Amino acid sequence: MRDSAKHQGLRNQLVDVLQRKGITDKNVLQAIKSIPRHLFLDSSFEDFAYQDTAFPIGAGQTISQPYTVAFQSQLLELSKDDKVLEIGTGSGYQTAVLFAMGARVFSVERQNELYKKTAQLLPKLGVRARHLTFGDGYKGLPNFAPFDSIIVTAGAPFIPQPLMAQLKIGGRLVIPVGEEVQIMTLLIRRSETQFEKHEFGDFRFVPMLGDKN
């Protein structure tokens, strides 16, 4: 689990790239600066870990490009101790970013292989999620609701109703919606029945799958 001065230097450069691309949230930038992304990747990709690119992580999934992670994290507008539901734990990198930003993270992964791997990795890196589970992200985690924020890290063909229901009033749901290309979508819950919707252009994610694998 090596994290060297060279890695830190590369992270500093990555943060510069993200700032140039419009990421301004100091919390997000600090988290990206502090988290050893190379430890979340297959060692054959380690040399490229701090490029602003997505990489495969097994089970047909990817670790999102740092800009995407930063952009979604920034849209959440997190405060310390916010209760966040993450749909798609994947490599655990986004989980680690949320944790470094002071969130209490509840995360669901539907690929058992990834779930097991990440559940072992995160504690070794000092990342203490409140709850990691192997399950169906479309259903969320009703037993732990309501959440201050919900972040979905896979492309959903539609916005799942259970996730909207598990968001507290005033809460923010960030989800990429669409089939081939997704539109980054932010829902803010204004009342029991009303949601305010904002859209932020095209992104590409692996598809969000139902049921457990």
Side-chain angles (χ1 to χ4, degrees), residues 119-141:
Q120 286 182 332
L121 174 67
L122 290 175
K124 288 180 188 163
L125 300 175
V127 176
R128 291 175 297 283
R130 286 300 166 100
H131 186 77
L132 289 180
T133 191
F134 167 55
D136 179 351
Y138 280 93
K139 296 178 180 151
L141 287 176

Side-chain angles (χ1 to χ4, degrees), residues 87-153:
I87 304 298
T89 320
S91 68
Y93 179 67
Q94 174 75 72
T95 319
V97 168
L98 296 169
F99 176 77
M101 291 173 69
R104 294 177 291 149
V105 190
F106 296 74
S107 191
V108 181
E109 174 53 58
R110 72 170 290 288
Q111 300 281 356
N112 205 14
E113 167 197 338
L114 282 182
Y115 164 70
K116 286 179 178 159
K117 192 170 159 189
T118 301
Q120 286 182 332
L121 174 67
L122 290 175
K124 288 180 188 163
L125 300 175
V127 176
R128 291 175 297 283
R130 286 300 166 100
H131 186 77
L132 289 180
T133 191
F134 167 55
D136 179 351
Y138 280 93
K139 296 178 180 151
L141 287 176
N143 295 352
F144 294 96
F147 296 96
D148 295 298
S149 295
I150 299 175
I151 178 172
V152 178
T153 63

